[in-house]
Amino acid sequence: MSFSAPVKDMLFNIEHLARIDRIAAIPGFEDAGLETARAVLEECARFNEAVVAPLNVEGDRNPSSWKDGVVTTTPGFRQAFQQYAEGGWQGLQHPVEYGGQGLPKTIGAACGEILNAANLSFALCPLLTDGAIEALLTAGSDELKATYLEKLISGQWTGTMNLTEPQAGSDLALVRTRAEPQAGPSGQPDGTYKIFGTKIFITYGEHDMAANIVHLVLARVAGAPEGVKGISLFVVPKFLVNADGSLGARNDVHCVSIEHKLGIKASPTAVLQFGDATAAKDVNGTGPGAVGYLVGEENRGLEYMFIMMNAARYAVGVQGVAISERAYQQAAAYAKERVQSRPVDGSVAGSTTIVHHPDVRRMLMTMRAYTEGCRAMASVAAAAYDAAHHHPDADTRRQNAVFYEFLVPLVKGYSTEVGQEVASLGVQVHGGMGFIEQTGAAQHYRDARILTIYEGTTAIQSNDLVGRKTVRDGGQTARAVAAQIEATEAELAASGSADAQAVARRLRAARAAFLDAVGFMAGQAKAEPNAVYAGSVPYLLLAGNLVAGWQMGRALLAAQAALAEGRDQAFMRAKIATARFYAEHILTKAPGLRDSIVEGAASVTALPLEAF
Amino acid sequence: MSFSAPVKDMLFNIEHLARIDRIAAIPGFEDAGLETARAVLEECARFNEAVVAPLNVEGDRNPSSWKDGVVTTTPGFRQAFQQYAEGGWQGLQHPVEYGGQGLPKTIGAACGEILNAANLSFALCPLLTDGAIEALLTAGSDELKATYLEKLISGQWTGTMNLTEPQAGSDLALVRTRAEPQAGPSGQPDGTYKIFGTKIFITYGEHDMAANIVHLVLARVAGAPEGVKGISLFVVPKFLVNADGSLGARNDVHCVSIEHKLGIKASPTAVLQFGDATAAKDVNGTGPGAVGYLVGEENRGLEYMFIMMNAARYAVGVQGVAISERAYQQAAAYAKERVQSRPVDGSVAGSTTIVHHPDVRRMLMTMRAYTEGCRAMASVAAAAYDAAHHHPDADTRRQNAVFYEFLVPLVKGYSTEVGQEVASLGVQVHGGMGFIEQTGAAQHYRDARILTIYEGTTAIQSNDLVGRKTVRDGGQTARAVAAQIEATEAELAASGSADAQAVARRLRAARAAFLDAVGFMAGQAKAEPNAVYAGSVPYLLLAGNLVAGWQMGRALLAAQAALAEGRDQAFMRAKIATARFYAEHILTKAPGLRDSIVEGAASVTALPLEAF
């Protein structure tokens, strides 16, 4: 099933919701206006539709495989990644100084969606590389930057994030991998470390798509404090790098196995052994152990890792949108082709394509509304990121930073939960054929299932939303967002159209529900932490639902205005219809979530542990 | 991961909600009281826990396979099925006259849940055999009954349902398989037919677990009317049966291939070719074609098939409960074992088992509440079935029949939609481990995905609920159910406990939402069929949610009474806590569904077809 990038919808968001005109007004982004966005997205669409998307099914049927420590990726992946690198796509958002294109996230994130919709498994390699680049840019020494950044940004090398250990998943306090400072000839520490330990769930931890792999690894330096305050971050390259930038000895980090997973099968999920490999080369004359280089300062590893993670969390949220889009396209195509049963309204005499049946329409509209709503939310978040990082005015930067930080758990948590629902609806639209692997709908369903888990489960996102983003400032940011939503409601209500009125009404109810939940969270956090965290995921779903619905409300207003100007009638009418559907079928879930959060907390923890 | 049958919860339902004392008062069921139920369920649990459940993982890793028309099932399945047959389990609910045990569905359905929770793939073979038995009992000639029933009921042979063809899924009007009446020596029709055509998605259409397979096949007799009124039902055995009951010639029905599916991999899903197999034996001297025997009268096949389907739909609903239970047990065990992070309330100093975390509790409680609610609903439906079929009083039979018919789409549609959500939460509780196939949580997620599709998708169930069960009598049955719920609310409100009050409040709101939806369905069906069917699935979800929540309310009252009598304190307290959780976290979804149904219909079909 071919894939067609939703460039038109992306450009609509970039123009009307993310307001790229304002981004292009920021010094350094003068060339990053709507026309640049259009050119980049169209080129991105061409490349991914032709080269990356066709490999998606292949990756599922012929996953990456492991033999004797070597991982061979799906046939075609290596060549496609080479083309990806040569096209400069890895450097899209990275600094020109290191060979990147320096484009704003507002454009880069849309390209990320296209890549992920084309092939989620393939896209994970660049996604993790982006995280490694971010960490080095923020905390790496000049030497580390000089050694690694250009190669990563050009796509010659790739990056990984090494956090998880068998006993340490969400709980990084339990990390046991250790780092031993090495002494130089003088007996003084020479700035290098030897790393020993086992890391699991390392995405693209080993593969054959690039000449070197730059692992960013959390480990404890001997004598460091217990818990998360004793974790440091290290660069551990697969091959050591000589002074001239050429590749040196093989480092003592080895892929012991890869996982047999439910989905994203082409993406190798590695178990990496650092040090104590029996046949390890004694790379620098001090015995086994993987040579590592400290990033930033000792014991600040978690802080740096969060830089990578925050970038990755946003990107995983975009994966949720991407899988939704792909699943929607496949389901819509099938629904327009499959003939089955007469329409209930008698409008066709015989059996007709199933897209005529109201419930198939309901499923497709649900898929579409979720996808467009989450895409719009991600686009607006990207613009906030750009303003937060590049706007000349400090106040504007700060406000946008706060807004972006509030949105990250929603983009990650809500878009991925939604992505699973959409992928499941995609199977359902196909009926029995959806359950047959050959059809392809099942792959999206399986692939999507990881998205609410990795880079922090939905519960971890919710803890972040509740603790750091809501309770810490007493609900101030959350209420400020609600105030912005109220302004959109007023605009919608002022508009004469029945569609706008309907959306305003549902937004109002959802916002009221949200404000109740915010009050509960901010008010009870100290006295009743269990009650607050019992509602954390429903709170995230409520907030995500509302913010995405708000963006659909803004989209409706923009589409009405564009219609009035005579622009792209079919697209604008579809946007208005989809916004209204979102309001009436998705925003309507908000009050129920409020009841569950505000009035149902006690029943979550009422059952004693021994009763489970 | 071992499985422990929830016998205690089943007996609670059977005693307090299904009221087995009333079933045992029906002539013929005198021996089918609570103690019989206990004995049968305990024996059923022993057998399935020991023999069938351990094969579940094996079936996923080593699915049934096809070679040259022969299907070899997962190692161990054949032996287990032999034990199943020898234990008399296939005949549990079937007439004593043909060697069955003649037990009420109230007991039999609980045994079905245990079998399905032990191994969904394995259980499908008996499930389809039950359907074939039902059809023959209802519509088969004495000769067909004499030839097939004892062998099916004893488990020596198995049965299948052959409906689907590539172009005819939900839409049976499109069935093309043809049946040609055969002439005997005198030139007159001899009562046999030759069947030609291709059937797909035939569960256990070919396998090695029994000596013969009795296919029940929908086909068109030459000259029959078009559409569903021209479909007849035939028995087509894999091996013809000699007059003495021994097996004769191989019939011309062959398994061309089996499907590669997302889940239930051990259950072979066959493509069956009837007739025109190139190497077909000319079994009765009239050339190729599968020999078939008409069931009942020509052109009434759909009516008979619905008998099988209604039994199968209820049974698939029970599969939804079963997979929920299995997924819950696995998740709860993991949550009590996996250590990760400190509790938010500081009740433990270090990292603790994740069952301490409120969101893990929320997920487990959601899984548990859905499972118990749907189990209770299925149990009550089974009792209605028994009364509808066996009660001496005609009015009581009729009332129970109407109630049962209303419940079937809820049991099928709601329990299976819920089963998928529960299986997905089961993956989520496991975090990253849930995505690794070895863990086993992913199998439940994959297996569950078929349940909302086969034996009629959720949309098909919803059409049944809306058209035949709600609109046809102007909402009378639906309102009668609501009146019963209102009575339960009154009992809850009259009870002094805060738990009962909370449940009464949420039931009241959900019932009001349901009544609005019923009014909309009954009122708009003629004028606005698209609007009504646009809300059909949300209406089913609302009705299922309400009825399951109602049963949890009844369960709470029963548990309070049992507590007062000093019975099983821990169990009764858990039941009360779970009922309240259901009310506050699941019933609270009802008003949102109402809004979507009653006020959101137009936006479902507003987008023009060409915009998809």
Side-chain angles (χ1 to χ4, degrees):
Chain A
M1 160 81 214
S2 69
F3 165 68
S4 170
V7 171
K8 198 183 268 195
D9 197 48
M10 290 171 163
L11 289 172
F12 174 88
N13 291 340
I14 287 174
E15 179 179 0
H16 299 289
L17 307 182
R19 297 293 307 268
I20 191 132
D21 56 328
R22 294 185 188 160
I23 305 297
I26 296 173
F29 284 150
E30 293 87 350
D31 295 334
L34 186 61
E35 287 320 305
T36 299
R38 187 188 312 278
V40 171
L41 291 186
E42 284 175 355
E43 183 56 30
C44 183
R46 264 192 294 275
F47 170 69
N48 284 290
E49 289 167 4
V51 176
V52 181
L55 293 171
N56 192 46
V57 166
E58 179 63 19
D60 194 54
R61 294 188 186 154
N62 196 355
S64 293
S65 60
W66 179 96
K67 201 184 170 198
D68 299 334
V70 175
V71 171
T72 307
T73 53
T74 298
F77 268 43
R78 207 161 70 83
Q79 295 79 352
F81 188 73
Q82 204 172 328
Q83 284 181 262
Y84 178 85
E86 282 164 5
W89 296 108
Q90 185 73 57
L92 215 59
Q93 284 175 242
H94 298 301
V96 176
E97 182 185 355
Y98 296 104
Q101 317 258 347
L103 285 172
K105 194 179 188 83
T106 305
I107 298 173
C111 291
E113 187 198 318
I114 294 175
L115 177 67
N116 275 289
N119 195 326
L120 209 62
S121 284
F122 180 88
L124 278 162
C125 190
L127 190 157
L128 272 299
T129 301
D130 277 341
I133 293 167
E134 292 280 343
L136 287 173
L137 278 170
T138 313
S141 64
D142 288 346
E143 198 184 334
L144 285 178
K145 286 181 184 171
T147 309
Y148 294 102
L149 277 175
E150 265 190 48
K151 295 279 179 31
L152 287 168
I153 286 173
S154 67
Q156 290 174 269
W157 299 351
T158 69
T160 72
M161 287 166 63
N162 287 244
L163 290 74
T164 305
E165 300 177 10
Q167 78 295 345
S170 301
D171 188 0
L172 293 172
L174 302 178
V175 160
R176 282 191 209 134
T177 295
R178 67 182 205 277
E180 297 178 358
Q182 301 296 298
S186 67
Q188 294 301 303
D190 70 354
T192 69
Y193 295 74
K194 280 294 183 77
I195 312 288
F196 297 89
T198 305
K199 294 286 183 179
I200 63 168
F201 296 166
I202 310 308
T203 299
Y204 280 92
E206 180 56 41
H207 63 80
D208 58 1
M209 283 159 40
N212 202 5
I213 303 174
V214 183
H215 303 295
L216 281 148
V217 184
L218 289 187
R220 272 176 206 293
V221 177
E226 289 205 1
V228 293
K229 289 177 182 166
I231 295 176
S232 303
L233 182 64
F234 299 88
V235 164
V236 181
K238 176 178 171 184
F239 289 99
L240 300 184
V241 182
N242 297 323
D244 65 356
S246 63
L247 294 183
R250 180 74 165 81
N251 205 352
D252 189 9
V253 46
H254 292 92
C255 177
V256 178
S257 63
I258 62 173
E259 306 290 351
H260 174 51
K261 307 192 299 295
L262 173 61
I264 53 163
K265 295 187 179 189
S267 161
T269 302
V271 177
L272 290 185
Q273 184 67 42
F274 294 82
D276 86 13
T278 46
K281 269 216 174 104
D282 185 0
V283 288
N284 60 358
T286 58
V291 176
Y293 309 94
L294 184 67
V295 177
E297 297 171 24
E298 279 187 8
N299 301 332
R300 290 182 62 188
L302 204 72
E303 180 188 322
Y304 309 141
M305 193 53 96
F306 260 105
I307 295 161
M308 297 172 65
M309 283 228 291
N310 262 332
R313 283 175 175 185
Y314 176 90
V316 171
V318 170
Q319 291 193 306
V321 182
I323 198 82
S324 295
E325 176 66 34
R326 188 81 190 251
Y328 168 76
Q329 287 192 16
Q330 178 148 2
Y334 185 79
K336 287 191 282 189
E337 178 191 292
R338 170 74 169 167
V339 171
Q340 203 74 180
S341 300
R342 282 176 294 190
V344 289
D345 63 2
S347 59
V348 179
S351 296
T352 183
T353 50
I354 62 172
V355 72
H356 282 87
H357 302 317
D359 189 63
V360 172
R361 292 280 267 283
R362 182 190 62 82
M363 291 193 280
L364 292 175
M365 285 303 295
T366 305
M367 298 172 80
R368 185 181 175 108
Y370 272 134
T371 308
E372 292 189 13
C374 288
R375 176 180 295 132
M377 178 165 69
S379 191
V380 166
Y385 176 94
D386 289 327
H389 285 76
H390 301 286
H391 200 279
D393 178 59
D395 252 14
T396 306
R397 283 203 303 277
R398 197 188 46 75
Q399 279 171 21
N400 277 281
V402 168
F403 183 53
Y404 178 74
E405 291 297 324
F406 188 81
L407 290 183
V408 167
L410 307 188
V411 170
K412 202 291 184 179
Y414 185 64
S415 308
T416 59
E417 291 284 343
V418 154
Q420 288 173 11
E421 189 174 335
V422 171
S424 183
L425 286 170
V427 172
Q428 191 72 18
V429 169
H430 286 80
M433 289 307 295
F435 200 65
I436 307 298
E437 286 288 0
Q438 202 184 341
T439 309
Q443 184 189 347
H444 306 317
Y445 180 69
R446 289 186 286 98
D447 286 354
R449 193 60 194 83
I450 191 58
L451 301 181
T452 60
I453 297 173
Y454 65 15
E455 301 303 336
T457 63
T458 305
I460 298 287
Q461 307 305 319
S462 303
N463 287 353
D464 178 46
L465 180 68
V466 170
R468 290 187 204 87
K469 315 291 169 68
T470 303
V471 170
R472 187 179 285 174
D473 71 2
Q476 195 186 325
T477 303
R479 290 195 186 94
V481 171
Q484 286 189 266
I485 295 171
E486 193 174 6
T488 300
E489 284 163 35
E491 280 186 74
L492 287 161
S495 155
S497 84
D499 293 315
Q501 307 279 347
V503 173
R505 177 178 166 214
R506 297 301 177 185
L507 262 182
R508 196 175 306 123
R511 177 174 52 84
F514 173 68
L515 284 172
D516 274 6
V518 170
F520 179 79
M521 293 291 165
Q524 306 296 314
K526 276 195 186 153
E528 299 280 357
N530 280 330
V532 162
Y533 286 95
S536 61
V537 168
Y539 175 61
L540 180 144
L541 297 177
L542 168 52
N545 186 336
L546 173 65
V547 172
W550 168 35
Q551 296 312 321
M552 290 305 282
R554 292 183 62 214
L556 183 149
L557 289 166
Q560 285 189 166
L563 261 187
E565 293 167 16
R567 288 175 64 181
D568 201 343
Q569 303 284 306
F571 178 87
M572 298 304 164
R573 284 191 206 285
K575 181 60 81 180
I576 292 167
T578 306
R580 182 162 181 174
F581 181 93
Y582 190 106
E584 295 185 331
H585 296 267
I586 300 173
L587 276 175
T588 42
K589 296 179 181 194
L593 289 165
R594 174 239 165 250
D595 292 347
S596 171
I597 298 162
V598 175
E599 295 169 15
S603 60
V604 173
T605 48
L607 198 71
L609 290 184
E610 60 275 15
F612 285 97
Chain B
M1 160 78 215
S2 68
F3 164 68
S4 170
V7 171
K8 198 184 266 192
D9 197 48
M10 290 171 163
L11 288 172
F12 174 89
N13 291 340
I14 287 173
E15 180 180 359
H16 299 288
L17 307 182
R19 296 294 306 270
I20 191 134
D21 56 328
R22 294 183 189 163
I23 304 296
I26 296 173
F29 285 151
E30 293 86 352
D31 295 335
L34 186 61
E35 287 321 304
T36 299
R38 187 187 314 278
V40 171
L41 290 185
E42 284 175 355
E43 184 55 33
C44 182
R46 263 192 296 275
F47 170 68
N48 283 290
E49 288 168 7
V51 177
V52 181
L55 293 171
N56 191 46
V57 167
E58 179 63 19
D60 194 55
R61 294 187 186 155
N62 195 356
S64 292
S65 60
W66 179 96
K67 201 186 171 199
D68 299 333
V70 175
V71 171
T72 306
T73 53
T74 298
F77 268 43
R78 207 161 69 84
Q79 295 80 352
F81 187 73
Q82 204 172 328
Q83 285 181 262
Y84 177 84
E86 283 164 4
W89 296 109
Q90 185 74 56
L92 215 60
Q93 283 175 243
H94 299 302
V96 176
E97 182 186 353
Y98 295 104
Q101 316 258 344
L103 286 171
K105 194 180 187 84
T106 305
I107 298 173
C111 291
E113 187 197 318
I114 294 175
L115 177 67
N116 275 289
N119 194 327
L120 208 62
S121 284
F122 180 88
L124 278 163
C125 191
L127 191 158
L128 273 299
T129 301
D130 277 341
I133 293 168
E134 292 280 341
L136 287 173
L137 278 171
T138 313
S141 64
D142 288 345
E143 199 184 333
L144 285 178
K145 286 181 184 171
T147 308
Y148 294 102
L149 277 175
E150 265 190 49
K151 296 277 178 33
L152 287 168
I153 285 173
S154 67
Q156 289 174 270
W157 300 350
T158 68
T160 71
M161 287 167 63
N162 287 243
L163 290 74
T164 305
E165 299 176 10
Q167 78 294 345
S170 302
D171 188 0
L172 293 172
L174 302 178
V175 160
R176 282 192 209 135
T177 294
R178 68 182 204 278
E180 297 178 357
Q182 300 297 297
S186 68
Q188 294 300 304
D190 70 354
T192 69
Y193 295 74
K194 279 296 182 76
I195 313 288
F196 298 90
T198 305
K199 293 287 182 178
I200 63 168
F201 295 166
I202 309 309
T203 300
Y204 280 94
E206 179 56 43
H207 64 81
D208 57 2
M209 283 159 43
N212 202 5
I213 303 174
V214 183
H215 303 295
L216 281 147
V217 183
L218 288 186
R220 272 176 207 292
V221 178
E226 288 204 1
V228 294
K229 289 176 182 166
I231 295 177
S232 304
L233 181 64
F234 298 88
V235 164
V236 181
K238 176 179 171 183
F239 288 99
L240 300 184
V241 182
N242 297 323
D244 65 356
S246 65
L247 294 183
R250 181 74 165 78
N251 205 353
D252 189 10
V253 47
H254 291 92
C255 177
V256 178
S257 63
I258 62 174
E259 306 291 352
H260 175 51
K261 308 191 299 295
L262 173 61
I264 53 164
K265 295 187 180 189
S267 162
T269 303
V271 177
L272 291 184
Q273 184 68 41
F274 294 82
D276 85 15
T278 46
K281 268 216 174 105
D282 186 359
V283 288
N284 59 359
T286 58
V291 176
Y293 309 94
L294 184 67
V295 177
E297 298 170 22
E298 280 187 8
N299 300 332
R300 291 180 62 188
L302 204 72
E303 182 188 321
Y304 308 141
M305 193 54 98
F306 260 105
I307 295 162
M308 296 170 65
M309 282 224 294
N310 261 331
R313 283 176 176 185
Y314 176 90
V316 172
V318 170
Q319 291 193 306
V321 182
I323 198 82
S324 295
E325 175 67 33
R326 188 80 191 252
Y328 168 75
Q329 288 191 16
Q330 177 148 3
Y334 185 78
K336 288 192 282 189
E337 179 190 291
R338 169 74 170 169
V339 171
Q340 203 75 179
S341 300
R342 280 177 295 191
V344 288
D345 63 4
S347 59
V348 179
S351 296
T352 183
T353 50
I354 61 172
V355 72
H356 282 87
H357 302 317
D359 188 64
V360 172
R361 292 281 265 282
R362 183 190 62 81
M363 291 194 279
L364 291 175
M365 285 303 295
T366 305
M367 298 172 80
R368 185 181 175 109
Y370 272 134
T371 308
E372 291 189 13
C374 288
R375 176 180 296 131
M377 178 165 70
S379 191
V380 165
Y385 175 94
D386 289 327
H389 284 76
H390 301 284
H391 200 280
D393 178 59
D395 253 15
T396 306
R397 283 203 304 277
R398 197 189 46 74
Q399 279 170 22
N400 277 281
V402 168
F403 183 52
Y404 177 73
E405 291 297 322
F406 188 81
L407 290 183
V408 168
L410 307 188
V411 170
K412 202 291 184 180
Y414 185 64
S415 307
T416 58
E417 290 285 341
V418 154
Q420 288 173 12
E421 189 173 334
V422 171
S424 183
L425 285 169
V427 172
Q428 192 71 18
V429 168
H430 285 81
M433 289 306 295
F435 199 65
I436 307 299
E437 286 288 2
Q438 202 184 343
T439 308
Q443 184 189 348
H444 306 317
Y445 180 69
R446 288 186 286 99
D447 286 353
R449 193 62 193 82
I450 191 59
L451 301 180
T452 59
I453 297 173
Y454 66 15
E455 301 302 337
T457 63
T458 305
I460 297 288
Q461 306 305 319
S462 303
N463 287 353
D464 179 46
L465 180 68
V466 170
R468 290 188 202 87
K469 315 291 168 67
T470 303
V471 170
R472 186 178 285 174
D473 71 0
Q476 195 186 325
T477 303
R479 289 195 186 94
V481 171
Q484 286 189 266
I485 295 172
E486 192 173 4
T488 300
E489 283 164 34
E491 280 187 74
L492 287 161
S495 155
S497 83
D499 293 316
Q501 308 278 347
V503 174
R505 177 178 166 215
R506 297 302 177 186
L507 261 182
R508 197 175 304 123
R511 178 174 51 83
F514 173 69
L515 285 172
D516 274 6
V518 170
F520 178 79
M521 293 291 164
Q524 305 297 312
K526 278 196 184 151
E528 298 280 358
N530 281 330
V532 163
Y533 286 95
S536 61
V537 168
Y539 174 62
L540 181 145
L541 297 177
L542 168 52
N545 186 337
L546 173 65
V547 171
W550 167 35
Q551 297 311 322
M552 291 304 282
R554 293 183 62 214
L556 184 149
L557 289 165
Q560 285 190 166
L563 260 188
E565 294 167 15
R567 289 174 64 182
D568 201 342
Q569 304 284 307
F571 177 87
M572 300 303 164
R573 284 192 207 287
K575 181 60 80 180
I576 292 167
T578 307
R580 182 162 181 174
F581 181 92
Y582 190 107
E584 294 185 332
H585 297 267
I586 300 173
L587 276 175
T588 42
K589 297 180 180 193
L593 289 165
R594 175 238 164 253
D595 292 348
S596 170
I597 298 161
V598 175
E599 294 169 16
S603 60
V604 172
T605 48
L607 199 71
L609 291 184
E610 61 275 15
F612 284 96

